[in-house]
């Protein structure tokens, strides 16, 4: 239950950041406002499928990440996708992001 409630806490923060009411989120997720309210107030232990629907309604997709990769993945996300599997520092090789994005002087 701890993991689900951690996800719910993040969903609450995102709902508020998107300036959505519980009723608006409920409508997007095809559930009642009372369901969203009970989940957000820890009044119920939601099913994973319910949490997934709330995430989708907020523009997210749930993804399981092996715990051994969690720290590296967090760094990758924080860097905007430019550090996964790379050594740190200015001498690090170009990331895959740099290799696939066109450079400003590239011609089609």
């Amino acid at each position: 239950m701890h993991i689900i409630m951690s996800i719910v806490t993040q969903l609450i923060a995102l709902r508020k950041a998107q300036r959505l009411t519980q009723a608006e989120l409920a409508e997007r997720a095809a559930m009642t406002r009372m369901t969203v309210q009970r989940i957000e107030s820890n009044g119920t232990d939601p099913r994973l499928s319910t949490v997934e629907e709330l995430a989708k309604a907020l523009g997210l997709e749930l993804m399981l990440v092996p715990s051994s990769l969690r720290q590296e993945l967090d760094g990758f996300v924080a860097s905007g996708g430019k550090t996964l599997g790379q050594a740190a520092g200015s001498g690090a090789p170009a990331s895959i992001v740099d290799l696939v994005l066109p450079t400003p002087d590239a011609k089609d």
Side-chain angles (χ1 to χ4, degrees):
M1 176 163 159
H2 175 70
I3 293 171
I4 294 288
M5 295 318 294
S6 174
I7 295 169
V8 168
T9 300
Q10 293 177 42
L11 294 177
I12 293 168
L14 184 58
R15 175 184 64 78
K16 290 177 179 180
Q18 291 183 13
R19 299 177 189 252
L20 292 173
T21 65
Q22 290 177 341
E24 291 167 330
L25 175 57
E27 184 177 333
R28 286 183 180 189
M31 58 186 68
T32 68
R33 183 199 58 80
M34 286 301 297
T35 299
V36 172
Q37 188 276 326
R38 280 194 312 269
I39 291 168
E40 288 190 0
S41 67
N42 296 325
T44 186
D45 185 9
R47 294 180 179 167
L48 182 58
S49 60
T50 302
V51 173
E52 185 176 24
E53 287 304 314
L54 290 170
K56 285 180 183 178
L58 291 167
L60 302 174
E61 186 173 329
L62 297 181
M63 179 176 75
L64 297 175
V65 176
S67 56
S68 62
L69 295 177
R70 179 62 194 255
Q71 187 175 3
E72 190 173 2
L73 182 60
D74 285 346
F76 176 70
V77 171
S79 73
K82 295 191 175 197
T83 62
L84 188 63
Q86 287 183 202
S90 60
S95 76
I96 189 67
V97 174
D98 294 327
L99 297 174
V100 297
L101 290 177
T103 58
D105 59 338
K107 296 184 181 183
D108 292 337

